[in-house]
Amino acid sequence: METDLARSLRTAKRKVQYDTQCKRVLGNKLVLAWILRRAVREFAGMPLEVIRRCIEAAEISTVEVAPGESGEGRITGQANEDAVPGEGTIYYDIRFQAVLPGNGENLVLLMNVEAQKKYRPGYEIVTRGIFYGARMLSSQLDTEFFIPDYNGLRKVCSIWICMNAPSGIGNAIAEYSIKKRDVVPGIADRPLAYDKLSVVVSALNEKMASEDTFLNFMNAILSPTKPYEEKKRILTERYHVPMDSEFGKELKLMCNLSDYVEEIGIKKGREEGKTEIIFAMFRENLSDEMVSRLSGYSMEEIRKLRRENAPEKKAR
């Protein structure tokens, strides 16, 4: 028989695998192209296939879900760990660079995409996004630019995909960036000199209707309620996504892991509820034999639960 510890470890592993698989789905170039076109001004209105070709080496923060598998749709490469002496280490979910051709000189943007299951995790998402962006800026020293040539500093974009947004917010997208304000006019406006940081927050809520194609697309992919077959139908019919591709395999695995984690959680909840009922029987001074007969637990299990409940009884 599997012990509680073994079951908890197995469930935790599946949970980690599910979170990792979610990042792998978001880190697919097909999905990243959608994200860049809607969240990054420089890619607005550009064909998705063109944007896909602009996405270069990247790294997804992962533990192995399907060891040994690889595909051309997945991105790997640039380190997702950023360690600065005295400032600690942070880990990016997805980190990559995108090259925007134009006017004889390529504009290289450094990108970071983060997935958040809660819109309000106990702090402001945009504040964390600014911190991530600032670290991406400072980490360019001695790699992208050298003092005193600050002109080599690349623009960074930190994009946050927040699921389960409250109804008061619904489906929405906001960008936070550096703007010029003339206190006393006279300084020439050169956006390329200061447009170096952009934080974009996308709040998803599949329960609310939206006219935004990108938000509907993301809600379909990340829906916690829609089964894989329904997602497959929506993505195929509405968005013409080839589900026989590497992306389709990644999405199916994410959905399977989601179902498994939910199933384990329901079973765990039932067991916890049943245990509370047994504790209530103890407080009514029912005998171990009677509790065993009513609950279906063995005498050994009942005695173990009574011993675990003993300190609580004494405290009362």
Side-chain angles (χ1 to χ4, degrees):
M1 178 182 293
E2 187 176 40
T3 65
D4 289 341
L5 176 60
R7 182 167 57 250
S8 296
L9 290 173
R10 176 168 56 84
T11 305
K13 182 179 179 182
R14 289 288 185 176
K15 178 68 166 53
V16 171
Q17 287 180 328
Y18 169 69
D19 291 342
T20 297
Q21 190 61 24
C22 179
K23 297 173 190 175
R24 292 167 76 101
V25 168
L26 289 178
N28 188 283
K29 283 188 177 182
L30 185 152
V31 179
L32 287 178
W34 276 83
I35 293 174
L36 294 190
R37 185 170 69 174
R38 195 69 181 96
V40 181
R41 282 175 274 122
E42 288 81 356
F43 290 100
M46 196 177 288
L48 291 171
E49 187 52 44
V50 174
I51 299 176
R52 287 182 66 176
R53 292 196 295 267
C54 293
I55 299 172
E56 293 200 340
E59 179 66 27
I60 303 173
S61 175
T62 66
V63 296
E64 283 299 313
V65 175
E69 289 189 6
S70 62
E72 61 179 15
R74 190 179 305 144
I75 49 177
T76 56
Q78 187 174 350
N80 67 312
E81 175 183 324
D82 189 355
V84 176
E87 296 183 18
T89 302
I90 60 174
Y91 296 89
Y92 304 97
D93 281 357
I94 305 165
R95 192 180 185 190
F96 62 100
Q97 62 183 29
V99 180
L100 186 65
N103 299 326
E105 182 178 352
N106 291 340
L107 176 63
V108 180
L109 306 176
L110 304 184
M111 302 290 179
N112 160 232
V113 176
E114 299 286 326
Q116 283 286 118
K117 289 184 178 178
K118 292 182 179 180
Y119 179 79
R120 295 190 176 116
Y123 55 83
E124 294 290 342
I125 292 292
V126 62
T127 306
R128 184 178 175 186
I130 291 171
F131 173 71
Y132 274 43
R135 286 291 292 267
M136 291 173 67
L137 286 171
S138 65
S139 66
Q140 294 179 49
L141 178 62
D142 296 334
T143 57
E144 300 294 337
F145 75 96
F146 299 87
I147 295 176
D149 184 16
Y150 289 95
N151 289 339
L153 185 68
R154 307 286 189 185
K155 179 178 179 179
V156 303
C157 299
S158 186
I159 304 168
W160 295 73
I161 308 297
C162 303
M163 296 161 260
N164 307 309
S167 57
I169 295 173
N171 293 299
I173 305 172
E175 180 190 11
Y176 306 83
S177 59
I178 299 175
K179 303 291 184 181
K180 175 178 179 283
R181 181 176 71 91
D182 285 325
V183 180
V184 177
I187 298 176
D189 189 11
R190 296 176 53 81
L192 285 178
Y194 61 82
D195 184 20
K196 299 295 184 181
L197 173 63
S198 173
V199 177
V200 179
V201 179
S202 295
L204 304 180
N205 187 333
E206 68 165 329
K207 297 178 182 178
M208 300 182 66
S210 174
E211 296 181 358
D212 188 272
T213 303
F214 166 73
L215 291 172
N216 291 331
F217 175 76
M218 295 303 298
N219 274 319
I221 291 175
L222 298 174
S223 168
T225 59
K226 291 182 175 63
Y228 170 73
E229 290 303 325
E230 184 178 355
K231 292 185 179 185
K232 179 180 179 180
R233 178 184 60 78
I234 293 173
L235 292 171
T236 302
E237 295 178 2
R238 297 182 189 176
Y239 306 104
H240 310 292
V241 175
M243 296 302 289
D244 56 349
S245 63
E246 186 71 23
F247 168 74
K249 297 176 184 177
E250 298 280 15
L251 183 63
K252 185 173 184 179
L253 179 54
M254 184 186 78
C255 292
N256 290 342
L257 287 168
S258 175
D259 292 342
Y260 184 88
V261 170
E262 181 182 13
E263 178 185 343
I264 292 296
I266 291 173
K267 288 180 179 177
K268 184 178 179 182
R270 288 173 179 166
E271 290 300 315
E272 290 175 350
K274 201 169 185 180
T275 301
E276 289 300 318
I277 293 173
I278 291 173
F279 288 163
M281 292 181 187
F282 291 163
R283 290 193 288 271
E284 293 299 322
N285 296 318
L286 297 181
S287 66
D288 289 352
E289 291 79 9
M290 180 63 72
V291 175
S292 175
R293 194 179 338 144
L294 292 173
S295 66
Y297 278 48
S298 69
M299 286 291 293
E300 181 180 355
E301 290 172 321
I302 295 300
R303 287 170 184 148
K304 179 182 177 183
L305 287 172
R306 190 180 286 279
R307 287 194 299 271
E308 293 173 354
N309 194 47
E312 181 180 340
K313 288 179 66 177
K314 290 178 181 178
R316 292 174 184 271

